[in-house]
Amino acid sequence: MSSSAPIGVFDSGLGGISVARQIAKDMPAEHVLYFGDSANAPYGIKTPEQVRALSFDIVERFVRQGVKAVVIACNTATSAAVNDLREHYDIPIIGMEPALKVACERGDVPSDPHHIPQRVIVAATPLTLRERKFAKLMDRFDSNNTIFKEPCPDLVEIVESGRLGDHDLVMRTLHGYFDQYDMEHIDSVVLGCTHFVFYRDYFRELLPERAAVIDGNEGTVRHLGVVLESLGKLAPEDATGGVELANSDPSERIAELSRKLLNV
Ligand code: DGL
């Protein structure tokens, strides 16, 4: 596979466009083929077996298109399928997981040998929070920190139905999930679903200024860069990259929404 081959990026729907946008910003020479599976969204309330089968179909399509790497721009599909996909394909497969490490490391102050325990809410899909992969991640951090798991499936639906701009609806939905927490004593919220990255400003309205809203997009794209560089597969610097959008839902509504989310 040549270094100028495209990178396949997929999600259950429109959430992974937040990752494609980050790739376009940080690695502008790369050519991205984005595939959103909106016809089958949401993945977060399906079984791992269903999500695995859908993920294999998408990666198979990318392989036929000659991609040099795949980014699973979906925490849910990563939990369900990344290991099997890596076993089956010999191109690099980059997954995503909630950026809990970044959230907990905010408690490590270089001038102080003691870790300051963090109170962190992880907002993700029910499947991500239920899977073994997340349990293993929690095990690494929950003895030193307090971690709350909050499944927020309605936030996926709001993006997919194009209602992200409906301030009242979004704030009502967020209050429904988060009013149970004393936000004054929360140090950070981890956006453990790529759809939720589009809600960053809304989360800011809920949280005190000192609290952080953390997502894994930048870290994932950095990791993609390191992997491609180590294989000598970064696109030539003078190449003109870009993002080509495709979706299993062929409607003009989804195409227009996708373009809009790519450009926000
Ligand atoms: N965007 C996906 C994620 O990062 C999943 C959304 C869904 O389809 O439930 O987990």
Side-chain angles (χ1 to χ4, degrees):
M1 206 76 56
S2 90
S3 59
S4 47
I7 301 166
V9 177
F10 80 94
D11 177 42
S12 63
L14 307 177
I17 293 176
S18 65
V19 179
R21 194 177 63 179
Q22 192 75 42
I23 299 175
K25 179 168 175 269
D26 298 349
M27 303 171 78
E30 297 296 340
H31 178 195
V32 170
L33 298 179
Y34 182 81
F35 186 82
D37 196 9
S38 295
N40 293 302
Y43 280 7
I45 54 172
K46 290 186 163 45
T47 65
E49 292 72 28
Q50 288 171 317
V51 173
R52 214 168 291 139
L54 292 165
S55 302
F56 265 88
D57 285 351
I58 297 168
V59 174
E60 198 55 45
R61 169 193 165 105
F62 281 149
V63 168
R64 281 198 305 271
Q65 291 174 303
V67 300
K68 63 182 174 186
V70 168
V71 177
I72 310 177
C74 178
N75 296 260
T76 308
T78 300
S79 318
V82 71
N83 292 338
D84 292 345
L85 288 169
R86 283 184 182 143
E87 254 174 49
H88 200 266
Y89 295 101
D90 59 6
I91 48 171
I93 311 247
I94 312 293
M96 293 190 76
E97 66 181 10
L100 188 55
K101 180 169 185 281
V102 178
C104 293
E105 282 177 352
R106 292 182 78 231
D108 298 335
V109 183
S111 56
D112 181 345
H114 303 291
H115 172 80
I116 302 165
Q118 299 291 291
R119 291 171 65 81
V120 181
I121 302 174
V122 182
T125 68
L127 195 153
T128 297
L129 295 174
R130 237 183 14 240
E131 275 297 282
R132 257 224 351 248
K133 192 169 193 305
F134 187 72
K136 277 165 82 181
L137 182 66
M138 278 252 323
D139 277 353
R140 287 170 53 201
F141 298 104
D142 68 353
S143 53
N144 279 337
N145 303 281
T146 306
I147 299 163
F148 304 98
K149 300 193 279 184
E150 191 55 45
C152 309
D154 293 350
L155 297 184
V156 176
E157 199 45 48
I158 290 174
V159 175
E160 292 293 317
S161 60
R163 291 177 297 164
L164 195 55
D166 184 341
H167 185 271
D168 286 353
L169 169 71
V170 170
M171 289 315 289
R172 206 168 48 243
T173 308
L174 289 182
H175 280 293
Y177 288 126
F178 297 101
D179 279 359
Q180 60 181 307
Y181 300 101
D182 175 3
M183 286 304 203
E184 288 307 314
H185 294 101
I186 290 295
D187 296 299
S188 56
V189 173
V190 173
L191 307 177
C193 168
T194 50
H195 283 75
F196 302 174
V197 176
F198 294 119
Y199 290 88
R200 177 172 280 281
D201 293 346
Y202 289 120
F203 274 96
R204 283 260 54 106
E205 288 186 41
L206 279 189
L207 284 160
E209 214 173 298
R210 44 163 277 281
V213 182
I214 296 169
D215 69 65
N217 285 8
E218 261 188 64
T220 300
V221 174
R222 210 176 311 122
H223 180 54
L224 169 68
V226 170
V227 170
L228 290 179
E229 187 169 24
S230 72
L231 298 170
K233 292 279 170 65
L234 280 174
E237 264 174 45
D238 57 352
T240 313
V243 179
E244 266 182 67
L245 295 164
N247 201 293
S248 55
D249 175 340
S251 68
E252 182 48 33
R253 183 188 76 79
I254 285 287
E256 200 187 318
L257 199 50
S258 301
R259 286 193 293 271
K260 204 168 135 202
L261 291 170
L262 186 64
N263 292 317
V264 287

